[in-house]
Amino acid sequence: MSAASAPVSPGTLQLPDTSFFASSRLANLFGDLWTPGFYWQLLALACCLFVAWALARALRSHFAATQDNASSLGAITEQTFPLLSVLFMTIAKAVMDVGGATHVLETFIPLLLSLALVRALRRMLHSSFPHARWLEEASKAFSILVWGWLALFLSGIAPEVIAALETVGLQVGGQRINLWMLTNGLVVVVLILLSSLWLSSILEGRLLRSDHLDISLRIVLVRVSKALFVLFASLFGFSLIGLDITALSVFTGALGVGLGIGLQRIASNYVSGFIILLDRSIRMDNLVHVNNETSGVVTQITTRYTVLKNLVGEEFIVPNETLVTNIVRNQTFSDSILRVVTAVSVTYASDLEKVLPLLESIARAQERVLKDPAPAANVIRFSDRGIDLELGFWVNDPEKGIVALRSQINLAIWRRFREEGIEIPFPQREVRILGQADVRMCDPASS
């Protein structure tokens, strides 16, 4: 009779069948289940977890008032508990290896490492794609993959899965590519790209919060750093999986030809975007006029286009090439002070020495009109219907609009002129009928 079918004598403790988990960590764990060393391992495990939890809680409370959840410190403190637990378990395993088995600790160390990896992946996804709708689904998918592979590793099935994937492949040139190589390479590249995007998001947050750099320079540094992070991460990931990156030179050459021929205008917009951001000819919150129909405040500058928003809420998406190659009126380029003009006419019977100071006092009474430079009224011309005057005044907030302010000043001028008896002329027509007595008629219609 074989050992597997040998009868069990009465009073003998029967262990659970571990043949399914042969040569696995779970089989070793079940083998220690009824030994005294098992309970010592449980005690060591509990002590490691408690000490790691206490230290992690103290660190989180220490940094809670000084950093937000999106910062690098927040990501580090989030991983404190599993990483400290792994550290203490490794130390305990090294001590207990001298006198007995450590299969309990060997089982929980990959569990905690997997927990740290899942948390790190969630943090990277939330930092790299904060407004993505698929974020929760991607986080769940990554968690399932990590915990699923851990289950295969603990049960001892992982080597069989790897061997099965290695049997499926094809020969490409002098190298054989199999499913395990592709899967492993994909995982490595994705992890490296997520890490690079996470690091670039941390750098972006620090740059955008910096008050020592101009906003345009900060935007340039953010975009250049993100592109460099992704580029170097991709090259590093390809080299790790054994792909010859020199073969990419053919692809980059073809891409350059395509950009030069088929994507010339798009490439020109991207180059123009970096020119705008570097020379700072157009910056955020500038009041820009491209033409009579397109004007507004700059609300966004991307590498391909610039967004202008006017006072009625319309947003204009202007290609960067248009802003670089055409004449653009930037009313707040060097400063935000802008001169506004309104015109009015008075009759020849009016006292100009009284009218001009009156106009200046009306402008000074408005809250948005600057006292320095002071408003100034001038005589422009002597026309056929009256004397044309011009009232000029300065504002430092043109992004709030000029039409409403000019309307308020014109209305105030009309009221004061009516109170002071100053007449605003209007076109008149004199009609004479020959052969009869002279009859004069006043026609308010324009001649």
Side-chain angles (χ1 to χ4, degrees):
M1 182 179 296
S2 64
S5 59
V8 180
S9 59
T12 302
L13 182 62
Q14 185 176 4
L15 298 177
D17 184 14
T18 60
S19 59
F20 177 75
F21 303 108
S23 67
S24 68
R25 294 179 182 269
L26 293 181
N28 297 330
L29 182 62
F30 286 140
D32 291 345
L33 190 59
W34 307 109
T35 61
F38 176 78
Y39 301 101
W40 286 108
Q41 295 179 66
L42 287 182
L43 180 61
L45 174 64
C47 292
C48 293
L49 293 176
F50 176 77
V51 174
W53 172 79
L55 289 177
R57 183 178 181 181
L59 287 175
R60 281 196 299 269
S61 61
H62 176 71
F63 291 116
T66 58
Q67 48 85 31
D68 51 19
N69 292 330
S71 66
S72 56
L73 288 177
I76 293 174
T77 54
E78 193 178 57
Q79 310 299 327
T80 303
F81 171 69
L83 295 180
L84 285 177
S85 300
V86 170
L87 176 62
F88 294 146
M89 288 181 190
T90 304
I91 297 174
K93 178 179 177 298
V95 174
M96 298 182 69
D97 268 337
V98 180
T102 56
H103 298 133
V104 174
L105 299 177
E106 292 176 355
T107 302
F108 274 85
I109 286 176
L111 280 172
L112 292 167
L113 288 176
S114 299
L115 176 62
L117 179 59
V118 169
R119 288 184 175 181
L121 288 174
R122 286 180 178 271
R123 169 69 62 170
M124 292 177 185
L125 286 173
H126 281 274
S127 300
S128 305
F129 312 98
H131 305 295
R133 298 181 178 179
W134 46 265
L135 194 60
E136 291 300 325
E137 289 75 10
S139 300
K140 292 178 182 178
F142 277 117
S143 301
I144 292 173
L145 290 176
V146 172
W147 293 116
W149 182 253
L150 176 64
L152 295 177
F153 172 75
L154 293 177
S155 62
I157 306 177
E160 285 77 5
V161 174
I162 294 175
L165 293 176
E166 288 179 342
T167 58
V168 181
L170 68 157
Q171 193 73 23
V172 178
Q175 185 179 11
R176 176 176 173 79
I177 300 177
N178 53 60
L179 284 180
W180 170 246
M181 182 184 298
L182 292 176
T183 304
N184 188 31
L186 180 62
V187 171
V188 170
V189 171
V190 169
L191 289 178
I192 292 177
L193 284 177
L194 285 178
S195 301
S196 66
L197 290 174
W198 175 60
L199 292 175
S200 65
S201 65
I202 294 176
L203 180 61
E204 177 181 356
R206 292 184 178 274
L207 287 174
L208 293 179
R209 288 193 299 268
S210 176
D211 297 330
H212 305 289
L213 299 175
D214 185 79
I215 182 64
S216 300
L217 183 58
R218 279 180 275 171
I219 294 174
V220 171
L221 292 177
V222 164
R223 289 176 182 157
V224 171
S225 62
K226 182 173 290 189
L228 291 178
F229 268 116
V230 173
L231 175 62
F232 287 118
S234 302
L235 296 178
F236 181 65
F238 291 150
S239 62
L240 282 181
I241 63 178
L243 183 63
D244 187 9
I245 60 177
T246 58
L248 297 176
S249 59
V250 178
F251 171 74
T252 55
L255 181 62
V257 174
L259 289 175
I261 299 177
L263 305 177
Q264 181 178 3
R265 299 300 296 273
I266 296 178
S268 175
N269 285 322
Y270 278 99
V271 174
S272 301
F274 281 103
I275 292 175
I276 291 174
L277 292 171
L278 288 174
D279 65 10
R280 296 183 294 174
S281 58
I282 296 175
R283 290 171 288 185
M284 299 291 292
D285 299 326
N286 281 168
L287 181 59
V288 174
H289 289 259
V290 180
N291 51 46
N292 293 332
E293 293 80 21
T294 307
S295 63
V297 177
V298 178
T299 59
Q300 185 179 1
I301 302 177
T302 69
T303 50
R304 191 183 67 84
Y305 59 85
T306 298
V307 179
L308 307 179
K309 187 174 184 179
N310 60 16
L311 292 176
V312 298
E314 295 177 334
E315 292 185 322
F316 301 96
I317 299 176
V318 183
N320 289 327
E321 183 186 12
T322 303
L323 301 177
V324 171
T325 58
N326 296 329
I327 297 176
V328 177
R329 185 174 61 177
N330 190 344
Q331 294 185 341
T332 56
F333 176 64
S334 57
D335 55 53
S336 59
I337 299 178
L338 181 67
R339 185 173 185 267
V340 185
V341 174
T342 184
V344 66
S345 298
V346 295
T347 61
Y348 282 96
S350 303
D351 185 0
L352 294 182
E353 294 181 353
K354 175 183 177 181
V355 173
L356 295 179
L358 181 62
L359 291 174
E360 295 173 357
S361 65
I362 292 173
R364 282 194 298 268
Q366 296 294 323
E367 182 179 356
R368 291 180 55 191
V369 175
L370 298 179
K371 304 301 184 291
D372 185 21
N378 300 285
V379 178
I380 301 303
R381 69 178 63 85
F382 298 97
S383 63
D384 55 355
R385 63 176 185 175
I387 304 175
D388 296 333
L389 307 178
E390 178 186 89
L391 174 61
F393 50 91
W394 300 82
V395 296
N396 59 0
D397 53 357
E399 66 277 359
K400 294 183 179 179
I402 302 301
V403 176
L405 178 60
R406 185 184 284 118
S407 175
Q408 293 174 2
I409 292 179
N410 288 336
L411 183 59
I413 291 173
W414 175 76
R415 289 172 179 170
R416 291 294 301 275
F417 278 17
R418 187 175 60 176
E419 294 173 359
E420 300 292 337
I422 301 173
E423 184 180 355
I424 299 177
F426 54 88
Q428 298 182 4
R429 179 180 300 168
E430 183 178 281
V431 179
R432 293 187 179 185
I433 302 177
L434 298 178
Q436 299 181 10
D438 288 347
V439 180
R440 295 186 179 182
M441 300 175 60
C442 292
D443 186 2
S446 177
S447 56

